[in-house]
Amino acid sequence: MIPSFTTERVTVADGVALHTAVGGSGDPIVLLHGFPQTHLMWRHVAADLAADHTVICPDLRGYGDSDKPDGDYSKRTMAADVVALARALGHERFALAGHDRGALVAIRAGLDHPEVVTHLASLDVLPTPDMWDVMHGTSAAVGFHLYLMAQPPGLPEQLIGNSADAFFGHFLDLWTNDPAAIPAEVRAAYLKASREAVPSIVADYRASAGIDVEHDEADRRAGRQLRMPVSVLQQDWGAALGFDAAARWRAWAPDLEHRTVSCGHFMAEEDPGVVIKELRALLAR
């Protein structure tokens, strides 16, 4: 648990409740975790922000101790979960920050619910269509899991389920510059949560190779953008894969602050001070 936070299950849709940690008081901010993690990834950042904000940290639909229904894992549906969660906790408007998969949910929430999301932060992703655009040639090998989980139901679930700890542990090891940032007990919690959620994690990724692209491309054609202040923290993916990350983001978010960080992918655990500083600067805009 995050120290001084309480946990509860909050119903957000028919048959779907999200396991949620809540702490602090003040203007609300919702923090969405990434893969292969749970809300626990925010433990350092959440504790700091709770000094003067109400901090809400759910496990996403299909992850951790939240419900894992069959069916819809579009980011539109997962974003609606987040809006319903905040509303159930008494907040009609809130700031929103997401890492990895949670960032994709946050982007969709900002596009679908601009009257609700006051500020938006994205940690280490590109919007879904851009992600697929920049993956090409041998450099795409770094994203092999994206292609594996995009396959029709059956084979990905079987392959991953038969070696779940090796599969999920691969990313925890490969994407971390400082292994000490994810202590053994936290790593074990992530692996347990992930091995118990293989079908829903695959469904989440599969949606990003299908319905999520359709939704994002429709918004791009219609000229819809993120109209709230947006902050992006990313590793230097552009240099590695040959694209201009800030320009990609600016097409979606005209009020943008884009920062490149030197830590690994799990930046809220590896360098929480940088994440806290940027989130506080975003909330002041």
Side-chain angles (χ1 to χ4, degrees):
M1 292 181 61
I2 301 173
S4 79
F5 278 53
T6 60
T7 58
E8 58 185 296
R9 287 178 60 80
V10 181
T11 299
V12 297
D14 289 343
V16 181
L18 301 186
H19 176 77
T20 305
V22 182
S25 61
D27 291 339
I29 180 169
V30 179
L31 306 178
L32 305 179
H33 67 85
F35 161 92
Q37 297 169 292
T38 68
H39 76 277
L40 190 60
M41 63 150 284
W42 291 109
R43 59 196 179 277
H44 306 304
V45 174
D48 182 278
L49 294 179
D52 48 7
H53 290 82
T54 298
V55 183
I56 302 166
C57 303
D59 289 341
L60 295 167
R61 170 190 292 238
Y63 288 81
D65 289 326
S66 290
D67 287 339
K68 303 168 181 66
D70 294 335
D72 188 2
Y73 282 83
S74 71
K75 301 308 154 297
R76 174 158 287 159
T77 292
M78 296 172 78
D81 287 346
V82 174
V83 173
L85 170 68
R87 184 170 293 131
L89 296 174
H91 307 290
E92 293 296 327
R93 304 182 76 230
F94 55 89
L96 183 57
H99 173 255
D100 190 82
R101 309 305 295 172
L104 299 180
V105 176
I107 294 164
R108 176 44 55 193
L111 291 167
D112 283 356
H113 306 277
E115 75 288 355
V116 171
V117 179
T118 62
H119 303 74
L120 192 149
S122 169
L123 277 59
D124 219 28
V125 298
L126 289 173
T128 300
D130 298 275
M131 175 190 73
W132 290 114
D133 285 349
V134 303
M135 302 291 283
H136 52 79
T138 57
S139 65
V142 70
F144 80 94
H145 60 300
L146 302 172
Y147 296 91
L148 172 61
M149 290 190 274
Q151 302 310 307
L155 184 63
E157 292 87 345
Q158 181 179 357
L159 292 175
I160 295 168
N162 286 342
S163 55
D165 283 8
F167 180 78
F168 296 114
H170 167 79
F171 300 104
L172 292 173
D173 296 338
L174 181 67
W175 293 345
T176 307
N177 288 353
D178 177 13
I182 303 180
E185 65 274 15
V186 174
R187 188 179 193 276
Y190 291 157
L191 291 178
K192 179 178 185 295
S194 296
R195 87 172 71 98
E196 293 175 353
V198 170
S200 51
I201 290 174
V202 174
D204 166 33
Y205 272 86
R206 185 176 287 121
S208 286
I211 189 64
D212 293 343
V213 176
E214 293 178 22
H215 290 159
D216 287 2
E217 291 287 10
D219 281 339
R220 184 148 65 178
R221 288 192 299 271
R224 297 188 187 96
Q225 294 178 304
L226 297 163
R227 294 299 179 183
M228 66 290 298
V230 174
S231 287
V232 173
L233 295 177
Q234 287 188 289
Q235 298 179 89
D236 200 358
W237 289 99
L241 298 179
F243 65 91
D244 186 335
R248 291 269 179 177
W249 263 105
R250 200 168 293 112
W252 290 96
D255 186 358
L256 175 70
E257 293 288 339
H258 188 279
R259 300 279 185 268
T260 301
V261 299
S262 58
C263 59
H265 177 65
F266 302 112
M267 56 187 68
E269 293 169 288
E270 292 195 59
D271 199 347
V274 165
V275 176
I276 291 165
K277 178 182 177 182
E278 293 298 332
L279 288 181
R280 289 194 171 278
L282 168 66
L283 294 170
R285 280 161 59 191

